[in-house]
Amino acid sequence: MTQTSTMSTPGEVARTPAAPAAAASSLEAGERSRQVEAVLGQLSGLPTLSAIAARVMSLSSTDDANFDEIIQLIEADPSLSARMLSMCRRADVAAARSITTVRRAVVHLGLEAVQSAVLSVEIYEVLGQAAVAREKRGPIAAEATGPVGFDRVGFWRRAVGVACAAEELARQHKALKVKPDEAFTAGLVSDLGKLALDWALPKSYRKCVELAHVRGWEISQAERQVLGVDHHLAGKRLGELWSLPHVMQDSMWLGGQAISALPNVAHRLTIALVTVASALCRRLHIGWSGSADTPPTLAPLCAEIGLEEQQVMAIAPGLHKAIAARCAELGLDPAAPEALVVESIASANRQLTRLHELCQQRVQHGRTGQKIIESIASFTAATAGPAGKRTDEVVCQIARSFTAIARWANAPATFCAVISQSREGEPWRLWQYEPARDALISPAADSTPQAPASEQPSAGSPSPARAVDSLENALRPGSLGGTMSLMNWLRENMAGSSAVGPDVRTLTVLPMTLAPGSSAAIVHDSLLPESVLSGASRDALLNTWARTLASALQAEGSRRLSEELAHAARRLSEAQAQLTEAESMARLGELAAGAAHEMNNPLTVISGRAQVLAQRTIDAKDRADAQQISAAAARLSDLVTSMHLIARPPAPNRQGIAVGELISTLARQIRNAGGGGKEPPAIRVEASAVRQRAMLDPKLFARALGEVLANALQSEPKTGVTIRATVDELDGRLLIEVRDDGQGMSDHALKHAFDPFFSEKKAGRRSGLGLPIARSIVQLHGGDMWMTSEQGVGTSVFLALKGWREESEGADRAAA
């Protein structure tokens, strides 16, 4: 028998704690620390910088650098001398003929440029050649050819991209007081820890990359999950090993953090600038970062160093050209700027494809959630009633509900039983259900299992005792009275026992907690995928079953608990109403919250590139196609924005406004907008009864009311639309009614009116997000929204707000 648990994979056996929680936590921390040190210890085997490069780095980092000694060191290395002269010639074509010696090259470039050039060339050659040699030695070469792995070319493109972006930002914004060459070098090495981890632990680091790709994580999160250490700490260790300047070490160690979280060091702004440059490269899909999460938002990062997002984005058009030039200068897999732009677009398309796959997975999760909601609703309806249901009927409904889910998941159960214990020490009860007959095939069995403490499974047999240990842990340790005793008890009490009964070692236990001191479980032989019963949907279903079974057991034990049972029934009814209310949002929820930012960035790239293509192309058809791409991207971006408004609405900026004036202004704007030369329907405003000012967000509330009014105008009203604002005499709520005498709505449309993307219109329909957005905004103001309709008569939409008065808002603030 195995146990299903949200904390373990299928087939994994839970272990009985052998020590207090504090001791276990201490042991786990110690093991984790040893793992981190073991990983970092692997970095000591990395190749070191050449003696000449290390000396040049040391000399050029001091304020009183000795030019003559630096020049002599470079001249001693023919390869480095040739690279210096080549860089000067590429950087300054006019001076190419006059710069023929290393001395002139160093003077022309400057010490910081020499430092960045020496470091970049040395790192590329040392680690690049070492990686090639390593791949030739072992099986990693074959393993690294998969679709997800460490992309060396993309890594260096990104490294140069971050360096170029940081350098250009430092050059354009001198008020930051960051040296461009220092920014370039710090940006170039900022992600060097990734290269170091891949060099030291190639197989493990490939798992990090795959985990980040599959789960949509930032690469450092996957590194910590797999290795216990991330590339930031690995980069710091590498910087110490190579004796790099502190600004480079800190750029590798502290990069990616907000400037407010950085220690008070002299080069804080350099590190923060590299972080902004890195975020820009992620946004533009330059190179390979290994991360698959939502790219960081530029605006807050820019604001922390005193820049606007537009100022940072201003360098984007020339960034690919700068990267191509620097790659050519340093000999790092040079490519044409156009090719780099194509790579960025291809990367954006790959991300869109991945998002599509994630959407498909979430759609499947949504379908599973929908099935669970339907099962809960069906189960609740079947077990509801004025007098409740007997325990046998409740158990039968639980088994019926479970087997229905198993059939839906293509994992039918041939055996299903429910066991329960009302209180610790009381007998366990067993109800066996036969799916083929859809009924309980034996009465509940009551007995207390007893067996000698020495009884153990025979040697060589599968380990049923371990499985029951897991069940014992789930259903309160020690409450079953002995593992083999429970096995024998199940075997003896199941109908058919040894003749046709199932092998108890093949069964799975799904535990339920009824109440403190009481437990229950479903025992079955279904090969149900873990994804079907996991997370919140699993908890909701098990809680519904458990509460209903607990209620039935309490009613069976004592009629004096009728009031408590009624309260439980009300809670079940409320839970059902809440689940039904959340049915439409379950198809949007996490998809909108997680995908909104992720889709906007690729759409920005697609739209921007399409506009550039439209400007550059000569062919009229190609220009029209590019414009269509840009327009489609804009429409999709608007749709994502609307989804985001539903999933994560902004906090309202409440102000005291005149309700009648707000409604009248909105009606006038919509009336003046008209539509295609056609006379718009009349809009009547009746708001004189509301004399007090209301504390509302004028922009958001106008959006909500505008969506409702637009919906009413599309119903083809016969005489027009009426907007009436009143104050409810019973509870003082502000009540706004939008009434039309149009076609009215069907029962189906009325039921699903607030579902995102729902519309019964076949042609000229809107996105179907208007009413969901309006309801979300109203609820954001602490109100509610509902509607009534009759076909052929018209529709009324009601917006009700509590605590809307200006003076009550002021009193609340004063009390706070």
Side-chain angles (χ1 to χ4, degrees):
M1 233 179 334
T2 58
Q3 174 195 357
T4 300
S5 172
T6 58
M7 299 301 293
S8 59
T9 56
E12 182 179 357
V13 178
R15 293 176 293 178
T16 303
S25 176
S26 177
L27 289 173
E28 182 179 352
E31 181 65 26
R32 196 71 170 175
S33 177
R34 286 190 292 272
Q35 178 187 357
V36 169
E37 289 303 320
V39 171
L40 294 176
Q42 296 288 327
L43 301 182
S44 60
L46 280 167
T48 58
L49 298 179
S50 67
I52 291 177
R55 183 59 178 161
V56 171
M57 291 295 299
S58 176
L59 289 174
S60 59
S61 298
T62 60
D63 295 332
D64 55 346
N66 190 326
F67 261 78
D68 291 334
E69 188 174 354
I70 292 173
I71 292 169
Q72 290 175 7
L73 286 169
I74 296 175
E75 288 176 340
D77 187 330
S79 174
L80 194 54
S81 299
R83 188 60 60 88
M84 290 292 106
L85 293 172
S86 176
M87 286 180 59
C88 287
R89 290 165 185 163
R90 288 195 179 100
D92 192 346
V93 178
R97 294 183 180 179
S98 62
I99 300 175
T100 56
T101 65
V102 172
R103 178 175 295 277
R104 289 189 177 183
V106 172
V107 172
H108 181 77
L109 291 173
L111 279 180
E112 291 170 346
V114 169
Q115 185 185 61
S116 64
V118 170
L119 181 63
S120 57
V121 171
E122 186 76 8
I123 291 173
Y124 183 70
E125 291 183 353
V126 169
L127 290 184
Q129 293 173 2
V132 171
R134 183 204 67 201
E135 291 180 358
K136 289 181 178 178
R137 287 199 308 268
I140 301 300
E143 191 177 7
T145 57
V148 179
F150 194 94
D151 181 357
R152 298 188 181 282
V153 174
F155 171 85
W156 285 111
R157 293 263 169 82
R158 171 176 164 76
V160 175
V162 173
C164 289
E167 179 186 45
E168 186 61 25
L169 288 173
R171 181 179 292 114
Q172 289 190 13
H173 303 284
K174 294 181 172 56
L176 296 175
K177 296 181 180 179
V178 176
K179 298 178 181 179
D181 290 326
E182 183 180 83
F184 179 88
T185 310
L188 186 69
V189 302
S190 59
D191 277 350
L192 206 55
K194 298 175 185 176
L195 196 61
L197 288 175
D198 179 67
W199 187 95
L201 302 164
K203 291 184 179 180
S204 297
Y205 200 73
R206 179 177 176 81
K207 292 179 181 178
C208 297
V209 177
E210 291 173 346
L211 182 63
H213 177 81
V214 170
R215 297 194 179 180
W217 284 0
E218 202 270 335
I219 187 64
S220 61
Q221 182 180 1
E223 291 164 351
R224 290 188 293 271
Q225 180 75 18
V226 176
L227 304 175
V229 62
D230 59 26
H231 67 272
H232 299 292
L233 185 55
K236 180 177 182 293
R237 286 293 181 94
L238 180 63
E240 294 171 349
L241 179 67
W242 285 356
S243 300
L244 296 179
H246 289 296
V247 63
M248 298 183 194
Q249 293 185 31
D250 290 344
S251 179
M252 292 187 281
W253 180 30
L254 303 173
Q257 299 187 40
I259 191 171
S260 56
L262 297 177
N264 189 20
V265 293
H267 41 265
R268 291 176 76 232
L269 277 174
T270 302
I271 300 172
L273 192 64
V274 170
T275 299
V276 172
S278 176
L280 175 63
C281 288
R282 285 269 331 257
R283 181 166 181 172
L284 298 178
H285 298 273
I286 292 174
W288 176 89
S289 67
S291 297
D293 64 326
T294 303
T297 306
L298 269 177
L301 295 175
C302 296
E304 287 201 329
I305 60 174
L307 297 179
E308 298 288 340
E309 183 178 359
Q310 294 83 351
Q311 292 176 296
V312 174
M313 290 300 299
I315 72 170
L319 193 54
H320 291 89
K321 185 176 180 180
I323 294 170
R326 294 307 284 264
C327 285
E329 291 174 7
L330 301 174
L332 306 179
D333 297 306
E338 294 79 6
L340 297 180
V341 172
V342 171
E343 284 183 6
S344 296
I345 295 176
S347 175
N349 286 332
R350 285 193 297 270
Q351 184 174 357
L352 281 176
T353 301
R354 187 182 65 82
L355 288 174
H356 176 72
E357 294 172 355
L358 290 176
C359 287
Q360 292 295 328
Q361 294 174 7
R362 289 172 180 174
V363 166
Q364 183 58 40
H365 290 327
R367 291 173 180 168
T368 302
Q370 174 67 23
K371 178 62 180 178
I372 297 298
I373 290 174
E374 291 175 356
S375 298
I376 292 175
S378 175
F379 173 81
T380 305
T383 56
K389 296 289 183 181
R390 293 183 298 107
T391 304
D392 288 356
E393 294 175 331
V394 171
V395 169
C396 188
Q397 289 295 339
I398 291 174
R400 183 177 294 139
S401 178
F402 172 81
T403 53
I405 293 174
R407 285 194 303 272
W408 177 82
N410 294 322
T414 59
F415 173 84
C416 183
V418 176
I419 59 175
S420 77
Q421 184 184 47
S422 297
R423 292 182 182 85
E424 187 173 350
E426 288 192 357
W428 282 83
R429 304 179 63 183
L430 167 69
W431 295 266
Q432 188 173 344
Y433 173 79
E434 184 176 359
R437 293 176 50 192
D438 187 25
L440 299 178
I441 61 174
S442 63
D446 296 350
S447 67
T448 304
Q450 300 291 339
S454 60
E455 186 172 3
Q456 298 292 337
S458 60
S461 65
S463 181
R466 293 179 65 200
V468 179
D469 279 338
S470 298
L471 172 63
E472 193 170 77
N473 290 333
L475 306 182
R476 298 183 60 82
S479 63
L480 299 179
T483 57
M484 289 305 298
S485 175
L486 174 65
M487 298 289 288
N488 293 332
W489 179 76
L490 283 172
R491 186 180 293 111
E492 291 169 0
N493 285 281
M494 287 188 301
S497 65
S498 59
V500 295
D503 185 347
V504 292
R505 293 169 296 187
T506 67
L507 299 179
T508 300
V509 176
L510 194 62
M512 299 181 290
T513 299
L514 304 182
S518 61
S519 303
I522 299 174
V523 184
H524 63 91
D525 64 353
S526 169
L527 299 177
L528 198 65
E530 187 182 15
S531 60
V532 174
L533 287 180
S534 62
S537 59
R538 171 186 183 274
D539 294 341
L541 185 62
L542 291 180
N543 287 340
T544 301
W545 288 342
R547 284 196 297 266
T548 306
L549 181 57
S551 298
L553 290 171
Q554 289 173 355
E556 184 181 63
S558 176
R559 297 296 176 186
R560 291 176 300 176
L561 301 177
S562 58
E563 292 183 2
E564 189 173 338
L565 290 175
H567 177 66
R570 284 194 298 271
R571 290 183 61 187
L572 284 175
S573 178
E574 292 172 0
Q576 180 189 10
Q578 292 174 357
L579 288 169
T580 303
E581 177 69 19
E583 181 179 353
S584 62
M585 295 306 297
R587 289 169 283 181
L588 190 64
E590 284 191 16
L591 172 63
H597 286 300
E598 295 181 11
M599 292 179 66
N600 269 330
N601 290 334
L603 286 173
T604 301
V605 175
I606 292 172
S607 178
R609 299 307 176 197
Q611 292 175 18
V612 171
L613 290 175
Q615 294 173 0
R616 292 181 178 177
T617 186
I618 299 177
D619 185 77
K621 184 178 181 302
D622 291 344
R623 185 184 300 108
D625 291 342
Q627 291 171 347
Q628 289 181 358
I629 294 174
S630 178
R635 288 195 299 272
L636 187 54
S637 179
D638 292 341
L639 185 61
V640 170
T641 301
S642 297
M643 292 167 61
H644 191 67
L645 181 60
I646 296 176
R648 291 183 178 177
N653 180 20
R654 295 176 181 266
Q655 303 174 21
I657 60 173
V659 177
E661 182 178 347
L662 175 68
I663 297 175
S664 300
T665 301
L666 178 64
R668 185 166 53 253
Q669 290 174 349
I670 294 179
R671 187 185 299 114
N672 294 338
K678 184 178 179 181
E679 180 68 17
I683 302 176
R684 296 177 291 274
V685 178
E686 300 175 5
S688 57
V690 182
R691 302 181 182 278
Q692 294 170 299
R693 297 172 66 85
M695 293 300 297
L696 304 172
D697 185 317
K699 184 176 179 181
L700 283 179
F701 199 78
R703 171 75 183 273
L705 194 57
E707 294 289 358
V708 175
L709 188 54
N711 205 63
L713 292 173
Q714 284 195 340
S715 68
E716 299 180 4
K718 304 177 186 66
T719 61
V721 177
T722 300
I723 307 175
R724 176 179 298 166
T726 58
V727 178
D728 194 313
E729 296 179 357
L730 297 177
D731 54 13
R733 292 182 302 173
L734 174 63
L735 193 64
I736 300 176
E737 177 187 5
V738 179
R739 185 177 68 252
D740 66 74
D741 55 355
Q743 300 173 349
M745 302 170 65
S746 65
D747 292 340
H748 177 74
L750 191 61
K751 179 180 178 181
H752 298 279
F754 295 103
D755 288 359
F757 302 109
F758 174 81
S759 177
E760 282 193 330
K761 297 189 67 176
K762 303 300 182 183
R765 57 165 288 178
R766 304 171 71 206
S767 64
L769 294 176
L771 290 179
I773 288 175
R775 189 178 197 182
S776 176
I777 293 174
V778 171
Q779 291 175 343
L780 197 65
H781 284 77
D784 196 9
M785 179 174 166
W786 69 92
M787 59 195 311
T788 60
S789 184
E790 184 178 352
Q791 287 188 309
V793 177
T795 301
S796 292
V797 181
F798 298 88
L799 290 73
L801 299 173
K802 294 180 180 179
W804 57 276
R805 290 182 172 87
E806 187 173 17
E807 60 267 25
S808 64
E809 181 72 15
D812 292 342
R813 289 182 177 177

